[in-house]
Amino acid sequence: MKFENPWKQNPWFESVAVAHERARKRLPQPVYGALVAGSERGQSIAENEAAFAELGLAPHVVGQQPERSQATTVFGQQIGLPVIISPTGVQAVHPDGEVAVARAAAARGTIMGLSNFASKSVEDVTATGATTFFQMYWTGDRDTMIQRMQRAHAAGAAGLIATLDWSFSMGRDWGSPEIPERMDFKAMVRLAPKVVTKAGWLGQFGRQYLKTGKLPDLTAPNLAPPGGEPPAAAPGGETPAKPSWGPAPTFFGAYYEWMTTPPPSWEDVAWMREIWQQISGTPFVLKGVCRVDDALRAVDAGVAGISVSNHGGNNLDGTPAAIRMVRPIAQAVGDQIDVVMDGGVRRGSDVVKALALGAKAVLIGRAYLWGLAANGQAGVENVLDILSGGIDSALRGLALSSTTELRPQHLLIPDGFDRALGAPEPALTSR
């Protein structure tokens, strides 16, 4: 009897946990390790997921709504479900990388976040038709940052996400995965024992090589310097010439640029937002906010929105779970800006809990990367469908017709759940 791989026959999976397990089995250990590792002891990454389990739901036995909507508007964009693709760096889990993710986002009607450390260019990603928000770190001098913003706008980016909280901690208790600077022959020989047993993953990249003649490389094309004359204006509505770019830096080259760039001030944030407004006029979002006082400063800086995030546990270990910081921050900024959150979202009910505490949407990172590793574009769509299905089930149980109706009273929130970092001290009363 011929053995048939059941995954090949039925690549669909029913939960993010199953996608995670398939990604673990499919990926070489260094690649998988880069996906799941948090900084230092991994306290924050574990807390991101665990905190959701402390929140309960308060369902009704009668009154369920026959029609339920997940559509919402965030950062000026109408989206089909309150789940946004968070920008993540070089996506070596699949040869199509960010292009496959963008196609999935477009197919499900949501926003694609694209990292400037992505393995695919912003031009290739926006060409999919996905509503794309380009993410930038504070790296390089101001002229370089302006060039990158101009490139993103020219490619059709619908917004800019500024990420300032990155520290790329290497002090992981379980060790950091080996990341080669370039995938040359020497690196391939050294890594061969770790990838030779992963036939499915290796085969995907092998087919890409036969098709394109190129090996996968850990470069960041969106950080490439201008390599020629800028494209001329398009006469009569014709498609403009494609811009020319110099060689893309490696991931380590990008890391060096970040290490040698002085950290930004709030004045720098306001400058970055102002430049983006002049170039594009589309929303400017600040990612990585953990404190109430920082959220209020972001409002003062003129941002359109913030993401409450501890960088998925990859930044400062010991930072509280993102979901614990949502309500204090959302209450502090009110309706002045849009608040989203990311960190630990694995189920539709997690999305519902975040929205009930004041977020307008959530961003997902590891969840869609596991789907991408398990089954490419279809795997990312599978993850989005799982979350959408869970959201719908929760709305039905709560007797709500829309995610926009979610409020704290729909949850069971234990005392002391929130973490109001940087909140103003209450006024002292006299005895």
Side-chain angles (χ1 to χ4, degrees):
M1 179 181 294
K2 184 180 179 181
F3 174 77
E4 293 288 344
N5 186 337
W7 291 0
K8 187 174 182 180
Q9 291 180 330
N10 183 21
W12 178 86
F13 40 85
E14 64 179 352
S15 70
V16 174
V18 174
H20 182 182
E21 178 61 13
R22 291 190 182 179
R24 185 188 68 81
K25 291 181 177 180
R26 185 177 187 83
L27 296 174
Q29 192 281 326
V31 179
Y32 175 74
L35 283 187
V36 298
S39 61
E40 296 184 331
R41 67 163 57 91
Q43 177 179 339
S44 290
I45 187 174
E47 169 71 356
N48 272 347
E49 290 191 52
F52 279 106
E54 295 183 27
L55 296 169
L57 299 171
H60 286 281
V61 67
V62 175
Q64 287 79 8
Q65 302 300 305
E67 295 183 3
R68 297 167 295 280
S69 172
Q70 299 179 33
T72 189
T73 301
V74 62
F75 308 144
Q77 299 290 332
Q78 291 186 338
I79 54 178
L81 75 164
V83 180
I84 296 170
I85 298 297
S86 185
T88 63
V90 183
Q91 295 179 5
V93 301
H94 190 278
D96 292 336
E98 294 84 1
V99 169
V101 177
R103 288 172 178 154
R108 295 301 182 265
T110 192
I111 295 170
M112 169 70 185
L114 177 70
S115 172
N116 64 354
F117 289 162
S119 62
K120 304 295 182 183
S121 73
V122 62
E123 292 83 8
D124 287 344
V125 169
T126 55
T128 66
T131 299
T132 303
F133 275 50
F134 185 69
Q135 177 239 27
M136 280 183 56
Y137 290 93
W138 183 264
T139 62
D141 59 28
R142 287 192 171 193
D143 287 343
T144 298
M145 286 185 262
I146 290 173
Q147 289 172 352
R148 290 169 182 166
M149 285 188 265
Q150 290 172 332
R151 177 180 177 179
H153 170 65
L160 190 77
I161 300 173
T163 301
L164 310 177
D165 66 327
W166 187 51
S167 68
F168 196 68
S169 173
M170 298 297 290
R172 294 165 172 165
D173 287 3
W174 46 84
S176 294
E178 180 183 3
I179 303 175
E181 185 168 3
R182 290 190 181 278
M183 283 300 292
D184 53 20
F185 181 76
K186 184 177 180 180
M188 292 175 65
V189 170
R190 187 175 69 254
L191 295 174
K194 297 180 180 179
V195 302
V196 71
T197 60
K198 305 297 181 179
W201 181 85
L202 196 59
Q204 285 180 329
F205 285 93
R207 287 189 293 273
Q208 181 193 49
Y209 175 74
L210 292 175
K211 182 178 180 181
T212 66
K214 295 180 180 179
L215 291 170
D217 210 351
L218 298 178
T219 59
N222 295 312
L223 298 182
E229 293 298 317
E238 297 176 7
T239 303
K242 245 187 153 180
S244 174
W245 304 103
T250 65
F251 177 83
F252 290 99
Y255 179 64
Y256 176 78
E257 182 184 77
W258 172 80
M259 285 287 291
T260 54
T261 302
S265 64
W266 279 109
E267 288 73 21
D268 291 325
V269 175
W271 170 84
M272 194 178 195
R273 185 209 66 84
E274 179 61 28
I275 293 297
W276 179 249
Q277 287 302 300
Q278 293 174 12
I279 292 172
S280 174
T282 57
F284 179 94
V285 180
L286 181 62
K287 188 175 184 291
V289 178
C290 294
R291 297 170 56 99
V292 171
D293 50 0
D294 281 350
L296 295 173
R297 291 293 297 271
V299 173
D300 293 340
V303 308
I306 56 176
S307 175
V308 179
S309 166
N310 59 20
H311 211 106
N314 277 320
N315 190 37
L316 183 63
D317 200 27
T319 305
I323 188 63
R324 296 187 186 278
M325 301 181 285
V326 169
R327 183 162 60 163
I329 289 175
Q331 289 176 342
V333 302
D335 296 328
Q336 299 176 85
I337 57 175
D338 287 347
V339 175
V340 298
M341 69 81 60
D342 73 86
V345 174
R346 303 290 183 265
R347 301 163 187 83
S349 59
D350 295 340
V351 181
V352 165
K353 292 170 183 177
L355 270 55
L357 292 177
K360 295 198 72 173
V362 304
L363 283 74
I364 59 170
R366 290 181 177 91
Y368 80 77
L369 289 174
W370 292 331
L372 178 65
N375 196 28
Q377 176 185 338
V380 179
E381 293 176 6
N382 196 158
V383 166
L384 291 171
D385 290 344
I386 288 166
L387 297 177
S388 180
I391 294 168
D392 186 69
S393 294
L395 289 179
R396 181 182 177 94
L398 295 170
L400 299 176
S401 60
S402 171
T403 52
T404 60
E405 299 171 0
L406 286 161
R407 298 294 183 272
Q409 59 263 33
H410 297 118
L411 304 181
L412 302 175
I413 307 173
D415 292 341
F417 179 82
D418 295 330
R419 300 290 186 269
L421 308 181
E425 292 291 337
L428 295 176
T429 57
S430 58
R431 291 182 179 271

